[in-house]
Amino acid sequence: MGTARSLLAGAALSLVAACASTGSSTGGLANVELADVDGRARRPLDLRGRRANLVVFTTLDCPIANGYAPEIQRLADEFEPGDVRFHLVHVDPDVDARAAAAHAREYGYTIPVLLDPTHALVRELGATITPEAAVIRSDGAVVYRGRIDDLWADLGVKRAAPRYSDLEDVLRAVVAGEDVPRTRTPAVGCFIPDLPT
């Protein structure tokens, strides 16, 4: 996918994407079905029986996204019992179920892993970067889109430890029925390229 080029393009576009609005509701794709790595149909925007759904976009070869695997799985272990459904979504159209399943095993994921080869969820949720997270509340509102935390200040600029645990704070607020502290943060990582038309 050209990781270096993706990282550079992602840095520029993450600043533009930071201006995008959040709090919108999922529209006509609320019932979209994506296949998981076992070939089962999943509806990541189907909110029945949950307080929220969380989608994290990824690729096989984005080093920043792969570095967040332990944190994403830790959050899933903590918040899935609190009625937040997690999904890891591969955006590279060339990635098949076998490769995505091997990636999940390598990085210790136990959450559902989905394939989005046509970028249906990418477009619906406005994602531009991997890793980028979107939290959809039970009323259908997209209440957060952005980074996992601020460990990465910019490409090539990694802090010793994050100052803000943005995604965790949002999940705590959603589970508690409170307003989220931040609705949008700029993600740092690999650019999600548009598909050819």
Side-chain angles (χ1 to χ4, degrees), residues 5-17:
R5 189 179 334 149
S6 295
L7 286 168
L8 292 174
L13 288 184
S14 66
L15 296 176
V16 174

Side-chain angles (χ1 to χ4, degrees), residues 6 41 72 92-93 104 107-108 123 125 130 140 197:
S6 295
I72 294 166
D92 187 339
Y107 288 96
R123 288 190 303 272
L125 297 176
T130 64
T197 56

Side-chain angles (χ1 to χ4, degrees), residues 115-138:
L115 304 175
D116 188 15
T118 64
H119 287 183
L121 277 182
V122 169
R123 288 190 303 272
E124 176 69 4
L125 297 176
T128 59
I129 302 292
T130 64
E132 189 166 7
V135 178
I136 306 96
R137 201 172 51 203
S138 59

Side-chain angles (χ1 to χ4, degrees), residues 56-60 62 65-66 88-92 103 109 130-131:
V56 180
F57 296 96
T58 194
T59 59
L60 299 181
C62 181
N66 288 336
L88 184 72
V89 179
H90 281 272
V91 301
D92 187 339
H103 177 265
Y109 283 113
T130 64

Side-chain angles (χ1 to χ4, degrees), residues 130-156:
T130 64
E132 189 166 7
V135 178
I136 306 96
R137 201 172 51 203
S138 59
D139 61 2
V142 182
V143 295
Y144 179 75
R145 183 164 59 85
R147 65 195 180 195
I148 312 302
D149 59 33
D150 73 336
L151 180 63
W152 288 90
D154 205 339
L155 293 176

Side-chain angles (χ1 to χ4, degrees), residues 25-33 42-48 53 120-121 124-125 136 139-140:
S25 179
T26 58
L29 294 178
N31 293 321
V32 67
E33 288 186 349
R42 301 262 189 170
R43 292 184 175 182
L45 301 182
D46 182 352
L47 295 148
R48 287 175 294 181
N53 280 1
L121 277 182
E124 176 69 4
L125 297 176
I136 306 96
D139 61 2

